[in-house]
Amino acid sequence: MVADNKFQVLENMGKSPNVVREKAAVTRPRRETLNGHRSVNLWFTGLSGSGKSTLAHAVEERLHLMGCRTYVFDGDNVRHGLCSDLGFSLEDRSENMRRVAEMIGLFIDAGVISLTAFISPLEADRRRVKELIGAENILEIYCNCSLEICESRDVKGLYKKAREGKIKNYTGISSPYEPPKQPDLDLNTGEQSLNECVKIIVAELKDRGVIL
Amino acid sequence: MVADNKFQVLENMGKSPNVVREKAAVTRPRRETLNGHRSVNLWFTGLSGSGKSTLAHAVEERLHLMGCRTYVFDGDNVRHGLCSDLGFSLEDRSENMRRVAEMIGLFIDAGVISLTAFISPLEADRRRVKELIGAENILEIYCNCSLEICESRDVKGLYKKAREGKIKNYTGISSPYEPPKQPDLDLNTGEQSLNECVKIIVAELKDRGVIL
């Protein structure tokens, strides 16, 4: 029973008030030290076509080349996966945001720089995400691009369908977009180049000591 | 509008059939190369008290010291977070497993070695997880410890309560545990020492080329 006791001893730590510290010895700070950078979430918000996803992937590429651990969340890997059971009712959108926030929290704990590219049109939703994972862990980046330019891009042809009434509750057309009141970065993605925007974000991460 | 076009060019890639490849340029293989190890999930299954969580954290500690990117999922960070809306009905347990699987999938994609410590008593549930994220991405580790030993440990005093009928549907007492038929590793966590178990798992990861 000696061998067994070795398990017992560690299990017993669970009875102490410090259970998490003693059991989960690999913590966020240790992971950050191993990675050589801090973990954070870059929350891109803006109209469809404002460049959120493009910018998130371009920033990820840059950070990856700098040796950072990164991950981009977008509709593809969230809506079709973790949240595949959810629709677009108010309740479901709210639950979608909650899960995204919880997931970001896990990635932050895991030492990863996550980048989220969701329209996230409502201030209340964005505020709730900050409350759940801590505002200090998020950099809110407003992809500030006029509806005119977004609509002229119309990558997926969805604005056209929305104008024709074939899509209901389309953000910017038939559903509101509430611009962030105090975004950490306000980028004019309609006029600034992709490269300029990437540089601004990387500089901000350096300023904040997230990366070296 | 030149600057604007730079966004446009990248966005347009979305129209090609290779949208994911061209946009999400930072891929799992690139992350694995950066990390110096492959990503995988270590799925610990076994009775309460069989040493799943202890072993998962001990393996994580070892892997972290070897420079690996790791993350442990357990009841604390999943049941209280991502799945806090779920109870313990059959439906909710099933949805819990689905979300855990989707989350593991994201971590695998992110290049991380995740370790999950859930009782996961049902073969059907474990099979579903494998189907969702690909059996090749999971190492199923059976913490094979007799009910007698688990009950004698009774870290949380739950076996006692289950015996007294104060907890219903307690795995091993009033609810079945279906041992894995073909686990990748079958560890006698009742008799082998924690250190021995860790060594076996690390050796297996080396054999499979997950770590160097």
Side-chain angles (χ1 to χ4, degrees):
Chain A
M1 294 298 287
V2 173
D4 179 25
N5 283 342
K6 291 194 188 170
F7 268 102
Q8 193 74 56
V9 169
L10 265 170
E11 288 279 7
N12 275 340
M13 288 180 176
K15 289 182 181 170
S16 95
N18 309 337
V19 51
V20 176
R21 282 196 113 154
E22 297 196 89
K23 277 186 85 174
V26 182
T27 55
R28 175 182 175 185
R30 287 183 64 193
R31 294 188 183 102
E32 290 177 325
T33 300
L34 177 63
N35 288 346
H37 61 80
R38 280 172 46 211
S39 58
V40 73
N41 168 255
L42 309 188
W43 186 277
F44 296 86
T45 175
L47 292 170
S48 176
S50 63
K52 300 179 298 298
S53 185
T54 304
L55 184 52
H57 282 107
V59 170
E60 179 181 43
E61 178 69 30
R62 191 72 54 97
L63 292 175
H64 179 81
L65 293 175
M66 296 169 75
C68 298
R69 270 66 190 180
T70 57
Y71 199 70
V72 174
F73 296 109
D74 54 26
D76 282 345
N77 56 18
V78 172
R79 272 283 180 188
H80 298 167
L82 191 64
C83 298
S84 61
D85 56 319
L86 300 175
F88 290 87
S89 69
L90 272 181
E91 262 191 357
D92 279 8
R93 281 172 192 265
S94 166
E95 171 63 8
N96 183 61
M97 276 292 140
R98 190 192 69 79
R99 287 190 210 167
V100 165
E102 294 288 0
M103 200 177 49
I104 291 171
L106 293 170
F107 272 76
I108 285 173
D109 201 27
V112 176
I113 298 177
S114 65
L115 307 93
T116 36
F118 302 112
I119 297 174
S120 46
L122 303 181
E123 181 71 22
D125 282 343
R126 296 189 301 259
R127 192 171 54 236
R128 203 174 317 128
V129 171
K130 285 179 196 164
E131 283 167 4
L132 260 169
I133 66 176
E136 72 281 10
N137 292 315
I138 288 196
L139 200 71
E140 188 177 65
I141 302 167
Y142 178 26
C143 295
N144 192 348
C145 180
S146 72
L147 177 61
E148 193 193 351
I149 292 180
C150 290
E151 201 169 348
S152 74
R153 290 172 176 170
D154 207 11
V155 187
K156 301 169 190 165
L158 298 178
Y159 277 106
K160 187 165 175 287
K161 286 189 183 171
R163 287 287 183 198
E164 294 167 354
K166 290 176 184 167
I167 302 176
K168 298 204 186 300
N169 300 320
Y170 197 78
T171 303
I173 305 294
S174 42
S175 180
Y177 178 82
E178 300 171 359
K181 284 172 191 158
Q182 293 189 303
D184 294 296
L185 288 174
D186 187 335
L187 302 178
N188 185 337
T189 52
E191 290 179 11
Q192 282 176 295
S193 76
L194 180 58
N195 197 32
E196 280 168 352
C197 292
V198 171
K199 275 188 182 166
I200 291 169
I201 294 170
V202 170
E204 181 71 20
L205 291 175
K206 284 184 180 173
D207 273 357
R208 290 173 181 245
V210 173
I211 58 176
L212 294 178
Chain B
M1 295 296 288
V2 173
D4 180 27
N5 284 343
K6 292 195 188 169
F7 268 102
Q8 192 74 55
V9 169
L10 265 170
E11 288 280 6
N12 276 341
M13 288 180 176
K15 288 183 181 169
S16 95
N18 310 336
V19 49
V20 177
R21 283 195 112 157
E22 296 195 272
K23 277 186 84 172
V26 182
T27 55
R28 175 183 176 185
R30 287 183 65 193
R31 294 189 183 101
E32 290 177 326
T33 300
L34 176 64
N35 288 346
H37 61 79
R38 281 172 44 212
S39 58
V40 73
N41 168 254
L42 308 187
W43 185 278
F44 296 85
T45 174
L47 292 169
S48 176
S50 62
K52 299 179 300 298
S53 184
T54 304
L55 185 51
H57 282 106
V59 170
E60 179 182 42
E61 177 70 31
R62 192 71 56 94
L63 292 175
H64 179 81
L65 292 175
M66 295 168 74
C68 299
R69 271 64 190 180
T70 57
Y71 198 70
V72 174
F73 296 109
D74 54 25
D76 283 345
N77 56 17
V78 173
R79 272 284 179 188
H80 297 167
L82 191 64
C83 298
S84 61
D85 56 320
L86 301 174
F88 290 88
S89 69
L90 272 182
E91 263 190 357
D92 280 7
R93 280 172 192 265
S94 167
E95 171 64 8
N96 183 61
M97 276 292 138
R98 189 192 70 79
R99 287 190 209 167
V100 165
E102 294 288 0
M103 199 178 51
I104 290 172
L106 293 170
F107 272 76
I108 285 173
D109 201 27
V112 176
I113 298 176
S114 65
L115 306 93
T116 36
F118 302 112
I119 296 174
S120 46
L122 303 181
E123 182 71 22
D125 282 343
R126 296 189 301 258
R127 193 171 52 236
R128 204 174 315 129
V129 172
K130 285 179 197 165
E131 283 166 4
L132 260 170
I133 65 175
E136 72 281 10
N137 292 314
I138 289 196
L139 201 71
E140 188 176 66
I141 301 167
Y142 178 25
C143 294
N144 192 349
C145 180
S146 72
L147 177 61
E148 193 192 352
I149 292 180
C150 290
E151 200 168 350
S152 74
R153 290 172 175 169
D154 207 10
V155 187
K156 302 169 190 167
L158 298 178
Y159 278 106
K160 187 166 176 286
K161 285 188 183 171
R163 287 287 183 197
E164 294 167 352
K166 290 176 184 167
I167 302 176
K168 298 204 187 299
N169 300 321
Y170 196 79
T171 304
I173 305 294
S174 41
S175 181
Y177 177 83
E178 300 171 359
K181 284 172 191 160
Q182 292 190 303
D184 295 295
L185 288 174
D186 186 334
L187 302 177
N188 185 337
T189 52
E191 290 179 11
Q192 282 176 296
S193 75
L194 180 58
N195 197 32
E196 279 167 353
C197 291
V198 171
K199 275 188 182 168
I200 291 170
I201 293 170
V202 170
E204 182 72 20
L205 291 174
K206 286 186 179 174
D207 273 357
R208 290 173 180 244
V210 173
I211 58 176
L212 294 176

